[in-house]
């Protein structure tokens, strides 16, 4: 949690011996997202996955990035969008170049851009679903209680 920045704090409960707070935190890339705007033209002959890589480079992130190859090309202008908005917009227009496990076809749509503990990911819903068969969903909850006696 060393690289997180506090965005919000809220006192949930207050008592005579204890206070309960909620602290919201985000990584520094969220601040970079709002300070960087996408203004250039993206080539209509280049695959969308190339555009995603270029947009993440303008963000200047030091986090690892996984970008699944896309089958289709798409051209657009940045329109002063934030990098995250451009990536979400491109995800809706992306088609996967990989086939399904049963061989029923290729170029299926359904991409998403999201962040995990191990970095950013731009991948198809089919890939996420196939990984879900082998990966266990993990959750994390932290609760720090201060000992009144110390």
């Amino acid at each position: 949690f060393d690289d997180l920045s506090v965005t919000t704090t809220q006192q949930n409960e207050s008592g005579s011996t204890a206070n309960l707070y909620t602290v919201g935190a985000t990584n520094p890339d969220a601040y970079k997202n709002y300070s960087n705007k996408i203004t250039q033209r993206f080539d209509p002959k280049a695959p969308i996955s190339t555009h995603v890589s270029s947009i993440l480079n303008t963000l200047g992130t030091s986090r690892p990035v996984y970008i699944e190859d896309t089958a289709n090309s798409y051209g657009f202008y940045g329109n002063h969008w934030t990098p995250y908005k451009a990536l979400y917009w491109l995800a809706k227009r992306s088609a996967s170049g990989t086939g399904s496990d049963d061989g029923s076809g290729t170029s299926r749509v359904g991409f998403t851009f999201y962040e995990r503990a191990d970095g950013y990911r731009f991948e198809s819903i089919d890939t996420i679903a196939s990984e879900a068969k082998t990966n266990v969903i993990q959750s994390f909850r932290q609760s720090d209680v201060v000992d009144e006696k110390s």
Side-chain angles (χ1 to χ4, degrees):
F1 298 111
D2 293 338
D3 62 342
L4 295 179
S5 300
V6 174
T7 57
T8 59
T9 59
Q10 178 181 355
Q11 184 175 5
N12 298 348
E13 294 180 24
S14 178
S16 62
T17 59
N19 291 313
L20 180 63
Y21 289 93
T22 299
V23 177
T26 188
N27 70 16
D29 289 344
Y31 292 110
K32 292 178 190 175
N33 177 54
Y34 288 108
S35 63
N36 293 338
K37 301 293 182 187
I38 307 297
T39 57
Q40 68 266 29
R41 175 185 178 271
F42 290 88
D43 184 16
K45 296 178 184 172
I48 291 177
S49 51
T50 304
H51 300 329
V52 170
S53 177
S54 174
I55 291 169
L56 284 171
N57 285 339
T58 62
L59 185 63
T61 183
S62 60
R63 299 188 50 117
V65 175
Y66 169 75
I67 301 170
E68 183 178 330
D69 289 334
T70 56
N72 60 327
S73 303
Y74 203 88
F76 69 102
Y77 290 94
N79 295 329
H80 291 279
W81 288 344
T82 62
Y84 288 173
K85 180 177 179 174
L87 292 169
Y88 289 127
W89 188 81
L90 285 172
K92 292 188 281 185
R93 289 153 178 79
S94 299
S96 177
T98 59
S100 60
D101 292 340
D102 62 0
S104 62
T106 60
S107 299
R108 296 198 278 173
V109 296
F111 267 69
T112 187
F113 169 72
Y114 62 100
E115 180 182 11
R116 292 193 326 195
D118 63 346
Y120 291 109
R121 300 185 70 84
F122 185 86
E123 60 188 339
S124 68
I125 302 298
D126 292 335
T127 301
I128 296 169
S130 65
E131 288 177 356
K133 296 175 185 175
T134 58
N135 295 340
V136 177
I137 297 174
Q138 298 177 356
S139 63
F140 175 77
R141 184 177 179 134
Q142 181 176 349
S143 179
D144 294 333
V145 177
V146 177
D147 186 9
E148 294 178 14
K149 296 176 185 175
S150 38

